Amino acid sequence: GAGVSQSPRYKVAKRGQDVALRCDPISGHVSLFWYQQALGQGPEFLTYFQNEAQLDKSGLPSDRFFAERPEGSVSTLKIQRTQQEDSAVYLCASSLRRDPNEKLFFGSGTQLSVL
Amino acid sequence: AQSVSQHNHHVILSEAASLELGCNYSYGGTVNLFWYVQYPGQHLQLLLKYFSGDPLVKGIKGFEAEFIKSKFSFNLRKPSVQWSDTAEYFCAVNSKYNFNKFYFGSGTKLNVKP
C-alpha cells in the first residue's frame, strides 16, 4: 500500500478484555516500531522489530503487552486483560532500512478506549 | 534515560508572524534530533532532522531548526507562518548508539489564525 495501515481505527474494550491491534507496514520496510501515545503526551516507545526479530521490547509496560511480526511484514500488538490505563492511541511506524535514522513512516494509529 | 521537553504546549499566531518552538533534551551522549509534525486528521510525518555537521538544518515548507549543543536545544523556527501550518509539532531525539528508541516531547499545538 501507499502508507502504513493500522486497524481497527478505533477500539472500545471492557476492562479485562483482550485486544489485538494490527499494523501493515509499507511493503519492503525492514524496521517496524510500536508507540503508545496517551492523551496530551508524545509517543512513547514500546517495541522494535527488524524483519521478524523483536530486537527491543524494553518499552512494553507490562507482561500483558505482547507484539509479534512472524513473517517480517504485518505486526500485531496484543494487550491482555486490558486496564483503563491502557487507553491511548497506539501508533505503528516503519522504515525502509535497518538504520532507523531513515525517515519513520507512521500510521494513523488505533485509538483504544478501555471502559 | 533520555527525555525531551517542549515548554510551549499551545501557541496561537496570526498569519505572517514568526514562529519559534522550543525543544530541550537531556542526554549526556551524542544524539540525533528530529521534528515531526501532525496536521489535523493526518499521521505524524518528518519535518526535519539533524545528525551532524551544520547545526542549522532546513526542512520542508520553510521550516528550520538550530542545534545548540551547549544548551541541549533544538528549536524549530519559521520566519512567516501560514494558516496551513496549523498542526501539532513534536520534537524527538535518539541516541547514536541505541538509535532504535526515539524519545518524543509532549508536543506543541500551533494554531495559526487567518
Side-chain angles (χ1 to χ4, degrees), chain A residues 70-91:
Chain A
E71 296 178 358
S73 55
V74 171
S75 177
T76 304
L77 176 67
K78 297 179 180 177
I79 309 174
Q80 297 177 323
R81 305 181 303 281
T82 52
Q83 303 294 316
Q84 282 189 319
E85 62 263 27
D86 300 335
S87 295
V89 175
Y90 290 85
L91 296 169

Side-chain angles (χ1 to χ4, degrees), chain A residues 9 33 35 37 40-45 48 50 55-56 58-59 91 98-108, chain B residues 9 32 34 36 38 41-46 49 51 88 90 94-96 98-107:
Chain A
R9 185 73 180 86
F33 305 79
Y35 282 83
Q37 186 174 14
Q41 300 298 316
E44 288 197 15
F45 174 85
Y48 162 67
Q50 194 174 91
L55 298 186
D56 189 339
S58 62
L91 296 169
R98 295 169 186 267
D99 177 1
N101 290 325
E102 285 296 310
K103 187 164 70 170
L104 289 183
F105 292 82
F106 281 86
S108 297
Chain B
H9 297 295
N32 304 308
F34 307 81
Y36 277 82
Q38 187 167 23
Q42 296 187 26
H43 53 266
L44 275 165
Q45 54 190 286
L46 182 68
K49 58 186 178 182
F51 293 159
E88 190 161 16
F90 293 90
N94 67 5
S95 162
K96 287 191 184 295
N98 183 16
F99 46 68
N100 299 321
K101 264 185 188 175
F102 286 75
Y103 293 86
F104 285 83
S106 56

Side-chain angles (χ1 to χ4, degrees), chain B residues 14 25 28 32 37 39 56-57 67 82 86 95 97 99 104 111:
Chain B
S14 297
Y25 65 94
N32 304 308
V37 60
Y39 297 102
L56 184 63
V57 292
F67 171 49
Q82 300 174 312
T86 294
S95 162
Y97 303 105
F99 46 68
F104 285 83
N111 190 353

Side-chain angles (χ1 to χ4, degrees), chain B:
Chain B
Q2 299 182 45
S3 67
V4 179
S5 297
Q6 292 181 245
H7 304 294
N8 310 105
H9 297 295
H10 199 174
V11 173
I12 302 172
L13 295 173
S14 297
E15 275 194 314
S18 65
L19 170 72
E20 180 159 4
L21 301 183
C23 172
N24 289 89
Y25 65 94
S26 68
Y27 183 68
T30 307
V31 296
N32 304 308
L33 296 151
F34 307 81
W35 276 96
Y36 277 82
V37 60
Q38 187 167 23
Y39 297 102
Q42 296 187 26
H43 53 266
L44 275 165
Q45 54 190 286
L46 182 68
L47 197 57
L48 50 76
K49 58 186 178 182
Y50 172 79
F51 293 159
S52 63
D54 188 344
L56 184 63
V57 292
K58 296 188 185 300
I60 60 172
K61 303 186 180 184
F63 285 91
E64 64 179 31
E66 185 176 13
F67 171 49
I68 303 179
K69 188 175 181 180
S70 61
K71 294 185 177 180
F72 295 90
S73 70
F74 189 55
N75 292 354
L76 181 70
R77 299 195 293 247
K78 186 171 183 179
S80 176
V81 295
Q82 300 174 312
W83 176 78
S84 58
D85 294 325
T86 294
E88 190 161 16
Y89 294 81
F90 293 90
C91 182
V93 62
N94 67 5
S95 162
K96 287 191 184 295
Y97 303 105
N98 183 16
F99 46 68
N100 299 321
K101 264 185 188 175
F102 286 75
Y103 293 86
F104 285 83
S106 56
T108 297
K109 289 184 180 176
L110 172 64
N111 190 353
V112 180
K113 295 184 174 180

